[in-house]
Amino acid sequence: MITFHILTLFPEMFTSPFSQGVLGRAKDRGIVKLSFYNIRDYAQGRHKSVDDYPYGGGNGMLMMYEPISLALGAVESATGTGVADHVILLSPQGKLLTQAITQNLASSEHIVLISGRYEGVDNRVTEHLVSSEISIGDYVVSGGELPAMVLIDAVSRCVSGVLGSDKSASNDSHSQGLLEYPQYTRPSTIDGHSVPEVLLSGNHAEIEQWRLGQALKRTRDVRPDLLPDA
Ligand code: SAM
């Protein structure tokens, strides 16, 4: 079982994506657990603020250190363990999330995810409270909730028992370093477009050969940067 401890200002955003499909089933079967900590519940002071102006001026607000630190303390109390190895801040400045990282994280018992908002978080969170920063791509979205959902989904797919067949994850794009080969379903011809003949041949060795060739071609055409590691 893997538990994701999610620190967020918007826990309700996670409801729908994790109540259906592969992830919904994994949750129902107890393979994947989500635990929410609303950062606002840990805000101190009369105004219960979670954000403040950046020192030195600049646009927008930053999430404050203290509510995040207290929420992390609550995770440690709840689990009764030190979870410091797996405290991840979702950030566009982080290491790019890859299939290799998701596979690695999938063997964890507890992963803590901190979702930023506003212009980001006080940098002391990054310096002292987290073990890594992860980005879902070289662009900026408005908050860490969607990136956290992407990470949870991608990691959970690598956890044994989450997918119907463990084999389907190992055939996915990126799991072997290549993009997946093209696939087709019935009917064999539609609008004059036919399925490649080899797939109807029943010759499994030829089909495997064709699929490998197609995976290589697709990777070379679309993502040649992947080839040296593949
Ligand atoms: N000012 C920040 C910067 O330029 O690095 C961006 C802040 S962004 C509007 C607010 C929050 O969204 C971030 O703190 C982070 O948690 C999340 N976020 C935005 N883009 C992301 C990405 N590509 N990957 C992971 N998290 C992201």
Side-chain angles (χ1 to χ4, degrees), residues 90-93 115-121 134-137 139-144 147:
L90 282 311
S91 164
Q93 301 174 26
S115 304
R117 278 272 154 180
Y118 313 112
E119 283 307 309
V121 303
I134 290 188
S135 167
I136 57 160
Y139 45 83
V140 174
V141 295
S142 306

